Amino acid sequence: MTNSIAEIENSECMLVVGSNTTDAHPVLALRMKKALRNGAKLLVVDPRKTWLAERADVHLQIKPGTDIPLMNAIAHVIISEDLHDKQYVETLSEGFEEMSEAAAEWPVERAAEICEVSANDIRRAARIYASYKHAGIYYTLGITEHVCGVDNVRSLSNLAIITGHIGYEATGVNPLRGQNNVQGCNDMGNNPVYFPGYQEVADAAVTEKFSQAWGSKLSQTPGLRLDQMLDGMHDDSVKALFVMGEDPVLSEPNAEHVHVGFKKIDVLISQDIFLNETARLYADVVFPATCFAEKEGTFTNSERRVQRVRKAVDAPGQARPDIQIIFDLAKQLGHDWGEAQPSKVWDEFARLSPQFSGINYERIEDEGIQWPCPDVSHPGTKILHEGAPIRGKGKLYPLDHIKPWEEADEEYPLTLSTGRTLYHYNSATQTLRNEGHREKEPECFFEISPDDARDLNIADKEAITVQSRRGSVVSRAKVSEKVRKGVIWMPMHYAEASANTLTGDGRDLKVGTPEYKLCAVRLHKS
C-alpha cells in the first residue's frame, strides 16, 4: 500500500477494483463504511454486485478479464477532458505520450462494448475520480489473478499518476493483502527473484553482500516460482518439495495437474498447524507447527507496518514454532545457527536490508512501525512517494487488452470466477474446523443469475454438476442477483467440491500468478 489504513475514512473518493472488501477484509472495510457515512464517493469495478457495489455511486459490472480496456477508457476520458494533473505529469512522470496514445485507442464506446457496461457510467466514473483531491484506489485478487495481472495493476497506477493522486493522504494505489503476514512474507525474501528487503538476486553486489553475511557462496540465478515448481514435478526437474503453511492440492489451479505432479516426486514435506489435504494425501514427513497465538515474532500488515507477535498460549502436542523447526533442520544438515530466537533473525534481516534498518524489537515493543525506516531516528513512513515518486518519476505504461487464457464458447458457454467468502479462507483448513463457520456455510455453492437459472431450468439449492475441460464437481446452485448473466461464481474453500478442479493453466505472463478469475464451464443436472 502506498498509504495507510486509517486514512481510508478520510477519503473523498474510493475506487475499489476487484475487491469484495466487506467479505475478504471486513475490518478494513469498516474504514470504507465510515468514509461513506462521511459523504465519500464510491466507485466499484467488479463483475459481482457486492455489498459495496450496491452502495456505489457508479458500479461498473464489467465482463471478467476486461480491466485494461476499462482503465484505458477512464484514462482517455481524464486526458481528453483535460482533467489530468498537468504539473504532476510534466514534472514527476515519464512515458505520458506513449501511455496517452495507447489509451486513445480505447474510446469510451469501444471499451463499453468490450467490457459490456454503460459508456455513460465509464465517463461518470472517470470524472468523479479525477475531480476529488483525496481519491484512493483499492484492489485485490480480482485484479491480479489474471494472465494480465501485472498490467492490470499498471493500469491502476497510470490513473493515480496522471491525476496526481499519489504522495499525500487518502490517495495512492493500495493492494489489500489477503492474509495477516503476506506482506511480511515478501519482505523477508520469500520470492525467487529477491533476497530479503527486495534486493535483487541478479545483482552481483547484492549477492556478494549476502554471501559474506551468510558464509556461503550464493547463486545469482533466480529461483523457481510456484507454478514452475509444479511444472517441474512433471518433467522430473523437481523431485522434492517442502510446503509450509500452504495446501497446493486445493489452492492451485487445475487440481488434477497438481495431483499428478505430487504422485511423481520422491519426497514431500509438510509444515503446518493442521493436517491439510496436501499433507493428508502425499506427505512423507509432517512437521506440526504453531499458530500465531503460540509463538513469538513479527507480522507485517497491508500498510507495511511491522508489529510484534507474542505467545499467548502453549502449543498443543508436538507442535513447535516454525523457527525452531527450521533451525533444527539446518542443524541436521550441518549448519548450527545457535539458539532459535526471532529477535536474532529480525536483527540480521534489518542489518542487511536498508529499508528496514531503523526497526528493532525495542522500537516496536508497544506500536508497530511502517517501512521504509532507514535508521532508528526515523519515525517510519506513513505515505509512500511524498513529494515525488521514490524512483524519481512515476512510470506510465502504454497498455493494451490481453485476452483471457480461456473464454466461454458454444461447448462451455459460461464463465466461472472464483473467490473467498466472509466465513471461510482459501482452502478452509482452519475455518471449516469451526462450528460457527460451518453452520454459516457448510457446503460448496455457486452463484448463478436468475436469467441463466431460468434458461437452464435450474432451481435454487439444486445440486448441479459444474464441468470444465479439466474436470467436474457437484455444487448447489444459489440463484442470485449478485452475478451477471453468463457468469457463475464459486468459493474456493471446499475439498469435496474444489473449484480448482475446474480452473485452468492460464498464468500471468510476467510473474506466473494463476488466472483464478475466469475459465469456461458448463452446467448439467447431477
Side-chain angles (χ1 to χ4, degrees):
M1 290 179 70
T2 59
N3 290 63
S4 301
I5 294 168
E7 299 169 32
I8 295 173
E9 63 191 60
N10 299 321
S11 298
E12 294 178 296
C13 175
M14 298 175 291
L15 174 54
V16 180
V17 189
S19 170
N20 184 3
T21 319
T22 54
D23 276 16
H25 302 85
V27 177
L28 185 145
L30 295 174
R31 304 278 186 175
M32 292 184 173
K33 293 176 181 180
K34 189 168 184 179
L36 290 177
R37 290 197 298 271
N38 292 338
K41 296 290 185 181
L42 176 62
L43 312 171
V44 173
V45 180
D46 200 302
R48 293 176 75 214
K49 194 177 293 183
T50 62
W51 189 95
L52 286 177
E54 290 177 341
R55 290 153 179 82
D57 294 274
V58 181
H59 174 207
L60 293 161
Q61 195 172 8
I62 64 170
K63 178 182 178 181
T66 61
D67 297 276
I68 291 173
L70 177 66
M71 300 308 160
N72 272 351
I74 290 175
H76 179 52
V77 171
I78 291 170
I79 294 167
S80 64
E81 295 188 4
D82 215 24
L83 300 174
H84 58 298
D85 187 329
K86 299 179 192 63
Q87 183 177 359
Y88 194 95
V89 167
E90 290 171 5
T91 60
L92 294 174
S93 79
E94 60 180 83
F96 177 72
E97 184 175 346
E98 295 85 353
M99 174 262 160
S100 60
E101 287 177 358
E105 295 295 317
W106 287 95
V108 170
E109 286 72 18
R110 182 188 178 199
E113 183 177 356
I114 293 288
C115 301
E116 298 182 2
V117 295
S118 160
N120 286 336
D121 282 348
I122 296 176
R123 292 189 181 93
R124 285 179 60 215
R127 291 163 184 163
I128 291 172
Y129 175 71
S131 298
Y132 287 88
K133 178 175 174 60
H134 296 283
I137 297 173
Y138 304 91
Y139 74 89
T140 56
L141 306 179
I143 276 290
T144 55
E145 289 180 348
H146 292 274
V147 293
C148 53
V150 169
D151 282 352
N152 280 347
V153 175
R154 287 172 171 170
S155 73
L156 300 178
S157 177
N158 283 349
L159 294 184
I161 291 171
I162 65 173
T163 54
H165 286 154
I166 196 161
Y168 57 95
E169 187 175 5
T171 58
V173 182
N174 301 283
L176 310 179
R177 300 305 189 194
Q179 195 169 331
N180 56 356
N181 200 29
V182 168
Q183 184 66 55
C185 184
N186 276 288
D187 296 348
M188 297 296 282
N190 285 277
N191 186 309
V193 300
Y194 294 124
F195 286 114
Y198 302 98
Q199 300 172 82
E200 293 189 16
V201 168
D203 187 315
V206 168
T207 303
E208 179 59 26
K209 178 176 77 170
F210 281 94
S211 293
Q212 290 186 11
W214 293 346
S216 180
K217 182 63 177 176
L218 302 174
S219 171
Q220 281 184 245
T221 303
L224 298 178
R225 303 187 309 252
L226 178 55
D227 63 303
Q228 294 168 330
M229 295 180 200
L230 296 176
D231 287 346
M233 296 191 303
H234 287 258
D235 64 20
D236 293 329
S237 61
V238 171
K239 295 184 178 295
L241 208 62
F242 192 156
V243 181
M244 294 178 60
E246 191 81 6
D247 194 2
V249 301
L250 286 185
S251 63
E252 291 307 302
N254 192 353
E256 182 57 28
H257 177 80
V258 178
H259 281 287
V260 171
F262 276 126
K263 290 173 183 176
K264 292 191 66 175
I265 60 175
D266 297 334
V267 178
L268 175 66
I269 303 166
S270 175
Q271 184 166 319
D272 213 319
I273 65 175
F274 293 118
L275 192 71
N276 60 35
E277 283 296 292
T278 302
R280 185 180 67 82
L281 293 171
Y282 299 113
D284 299 286
V285 178
V286 174
F287 293 137
T290 54
C291 76
F292 74 97
E294 300 160 352
K295 61 186 175 184
E296 299 283 331
T298 62
F299 284 168
T300 305
N301 71 359
S302 284
E303 64 176 9
R304 298 167 281 106
R305 187 178 299 277
V306 183
Q307 303 173 96
R308 283 289 305 277
V309 177
R310 293 174 174 84
K311 180 179 176 180
V313 295
D314 291 331
Q318 299 178 53
R320 297 192 301 153
D322 294 295
I323 187 174
Q324 290 186 2
I325 297 169
I326 298 299
F327 268 57
D328 285 353
L329 183 59
K331 194 170 185 178
Q332 292 294 321
L333 294 170
H335 299 275
D336 189 347
W337 294 343
E339 187 178 356
Q341 294 180 334
S343 59
K344 183 171 70 173
V345 174
W346 177 268
D347 288 345
E348 178 189 277
F349 164 68
R351 185 177 70 253
L352 295 171
S353 306
Q355 295 187 82
F356 300 83
S357 296
I359 303 176
N360 57 44
Y361 265 50
E362 183 179 348
R363 292 193 71 196
I364 58 174
E365 179 67 28
D366 298 317
E367 186 176 357
I369 295 175
Q370 290 168 277
W371 65 265
C373 182
D375 58 68
V376 292
S377 64
H378 194 282
T381 304
K382 176 184 175 184
I383 300 171
L384 290 177
H385 313 297
E386 278 194 278
I390 291 171
R391 68 184 295 275
K393 290 188 175 183
K395 186 171 179 60
L396 293 163
Y397 289 88
L399 304 170
D400 200 2
H401 181 42
I402 299 173
K403 289 187 176 182
W405 178 78
E406 182 180 66
E407 295 183 281
D409 54 25
E410 289 186 9
E411 188 177 3
Y412 293 87
L414 296 171
T415 296
L416 167 70
S417 187
T418 68
R420 302 171 181 168
T421 70
L422 176 62
Y423 299 105
H424 294 300
Y425 176 77
N426 274 15
S427 57
T429 303
Q430 300 172 66
T431 53
L432 273 172
R433 296 172 186 271
N434 179 275
E435 183 179 348
H437 289 259
R438 288 199 309 272
E439 183 178 336
K440 287 291 186 180
E441 284 181 356
E443 62 180 350
C444 190
F445 63 91
F446 67 92
E447 294 175 349
I448 182 171
S449 74
D451 288 342
D452 285 328
R454 184 179 58 252
D455 292 346
L456 296 169
N457 192 28
I458 290 174
D460 190 50
K461 299 182 181 179
E462 185 177 5
I464 298 294
T465 297
V466 185
Q467 184 178 31
S468 76
R469 290 180 172 87
R470 272 74 53 194
S472 63
V473 300
V474 176
S475 181
R476 293 203 179 274
K478 185 175 183 179
V479 180
S480 173
E481 297 280 359
K482 285 186 177 181
V483 290
R484 49 179 289 147
K485 183 175 172 57
V487 175
I488 68 169
W489 183 89
M490 179 183 290
M492 58 180 294
H493 310 306
Y494 300 90
E496 69 277 8
S498 172
N500 283 322
T501 299
L502 307 170
T503 51
D505 294 321
R507 298 165 182 168
D508 179 88
L509 303 177
K510 298 178 176 65
V511 298
T513 303
E515 186 164 62
Y516 292 111
K517 294 308 175 190
L518 68 159
C519 70
V521 297
R522 62 189 177 195
L523 306 178
H524 56 84
K525 303 275 185 172
S526 298

